[in-house]
Amino acid sequence: MSLPIRHAWKVAGFPTETLLWPVSTRKTVLFFIPGNPGLVEYYTPFLHSIHTSLNVEVRGVSHKGHTVKYLDNDTRVFSLDDQIQHKVDCLDQMIEEYGPEVNYILMGHSIGSYICTEVLRRRPQSNITRVIALFPTLRDIALTPNGVNITRLVNGVSPSLFGYAGTFISYMIPSVRQWIVKLLTGQSYPGLEVTSHQLMHSSVLKNVVTMARDEMNTVKALDHEFYQQHISKYIIYYSENDQWAPRDHYEYMVTHFPTGNIYSCTEMIPHAFCLEPSHVEYMATKVSSWIQNDVN
């Protein structure tokens, strides 16, 4: 069987783009929630490496509206809260399908880490044994260096304008579209293909921008009481080279939760680690070492 299995997983009636690495004996499921843009295909090599290393079942999903696959011209725009509820629905459906004995590790990147926290908040009794937050935007995202710039952009430009740009780009010959994206972003394979052929669509870009605007307005002060109650479940990983979750966020968490598993990467791994193969392997090895005991 060629892995991962790519399919449309019906979650609460919504066809959800899903990557699945199954195992014959399922004790723990690693459920991955992406950042924004929320295209799970950006993370395929990362998740595949973890599955290969640990022989653990891995399931990753795209955000609602962040892919044109399987949607039959559905152009709805979804909020951050819609995305959170969608991931709660995913967990509920796995529990229904797999039974009550399976444990769950939630892993999120960037805003996906915040979404993991909200899933744990809404489903505290659902066998969630671990939450892994990679380069996490857990608090005051609009005040970070990148957050300040993005706030100006999303508040100054209508999502429809991004949609028009996506429509224009999507009509280009694929090879030309990919050449332009490479020229503008410097991306290489396989991320280049995802950006060129999955992200650059009108409805996807409108959803990405709408979600980003919600993030700036929603992710503010940290809920200290909640984290204090659940900090033993968390592994939180920051980078010295991150303008979305800068060093002062790491220092803040270490100060307020000194017993937590909170780390700062000194290897200068960037926030968008999933776009560079060497960074992918580094992070996959790191995550596998953290959760080996949880899986076994």
Side-chain angles (χ1 to χ4, degrees):
M1 180 190 302
S2 178
L3 296 177
I5 299 170
R6 293 173 166 86
H7 67 115
W9 182 32
K10 277 291 185 75
V11 178
F14 189 87
T16 299
E17 181 180 32
T18 303
L19 302 181
L20 175 65
W21 288 261
V23 295
S24 57
T25 302
R26 183 189 304 110
K27 296 180 180 179
T28 300
V29 173
L30 176 62
F31 178 44
F32 179 75
I33 301 174
N36 184 12
L39 289 143
V40 72
E41 285 282 8
Y42 276 123
Y43 304 89
T44 305
F46 170 62
L47 298 176
H48 185 80
S49 183
I50 294 171
H51 166 77
T52 301
S53 175
L54 297 179
N55 193 35
V56 62
E57 178 151 316
V58 178
R59 185 186 291 265
V61 297
S62 290
H63 293 321
K64 296 177 78 170
H66 285 226
T67 175
V68 293
K69 291 182 179 179
Y70 316 120
L71 293 186
D72 297 325
N73 298 316
D74 185 343
T75 59
R76 286 179 291 171
V77 176
F78 299 96
S79 68
L80 176 59
D81 192 67
D82 290 333
Q83 304 296 357
I84 294 168
Q85 185 57 50
H86 175 240
K87 306 314 176 292
V88 173
D89 292 339
C90 288
L91 179 62
D92 288 347
Q93 188 150 325
M94 283 189 287
I95 292 171
E96 182 178 346
E97 292 178 8
Y98 296 161
E101 303 303 318
V102 174
N103 292 325
Y104 296 91
I105 298 171
L106 306 185
M107 180 167 65
H109 172 229
S110 190
I111 192 63
S113 302
Y114 177 86
I115 295 174
C116 286
T117 290
E118 295 306 303
V119 172
L120 176 60
R121 187 193 306 276
R122 299 183 190 189
R123 293 293 185 271
Q125 307 299 324
S126 295
N127 288 358
I128 298 171
T129 59
R130 181 72 68 193
V131 178
I132 301 173
L134 304 177
F135 312 99
T137 53
L138 301 176
R139 56 177 282 266
D140 294 326
I141 185 174
L143 302 181
T144 65
N146 280 355
V148 169
N149 294 328
I150 287 294
T151 298
R152 294 195 190 106
L153 179 63
V154 298
N155 287 339
V157 180
S158 167
S160 297
L161 189 59
F162 288 95
Y164 295 143
T167 298
F168 174 73
I169 295 171
S170 67
Y171 282 123
M172 292 180 177
I173 297 170
S175 59
V176 173
R177 182 166 67 241
Q178 187 163 301
W179 179 82
I180 291 174
V181 170
K182 181 176 177 62
L183 185 67
L184 294 177
T185 68
Q187 291 181 9
S188 58
Y189 294 98
L192 175 62
E193 289 186 310
V194 180
T195 301
S196 303
H197 308 307
Q198 298 187 46
L199 177 61
M200 293 300 167
H201 292 272
S202 174
S203 62
V204 174
L205 289 176
K206 284 191 284 188
N207 268 287
V208 167
V209 172
T210 297
M211 184 174 170
R213 180 181 292 170
D214 277 357
E215 292 170 33
M216 302 305 120
N217 293 328
T218 303
V219 184
K220 296 187 181 293
L222 199 77
D223 184 345
H224 283 245
E225 183 178 350
F226 178 84
Y227 279 92
Q228 196 64 60
Q229 181 181 355
H230 296 284
I231 195 65
S232 63
K233 291 186 176 182
Y234 277 82
I235 297 174
I236 305 176
Y237 195 69
Y238 291 94
S239 175
E240 299 283 338
N241 185 31
D242 194 342
Q243 300 301 301
W244 281 111
R247 180 168 177 82
D248 66 282
H249 282 218
Y250 162 73
E251 293 171 347
Y252 180 97
M253 295 298 284
V254 168
T255 299
H256 287 87
F257 309 101
T259 63
N261 295 309
I262 304 166
Y263 308 108
S264 178
C265 175
T266 59
E267 301 297 320
M268 302 303 286
I269 302 295
H271 186 82
F273 73 93
C274 56
L275 298 178
E276 170 56 49
S278 63
H279 300 154
V280 165
E281 283 307 309
Y282 179 88
M283 289 305 302
T285 300
K286 183 74 69 176
V287 169
S288 296
S289 70
W290 291 333
I291 64 174
Q292 185 171 8
N293 290 337
D294 297 313
V295 170
N296 295 331

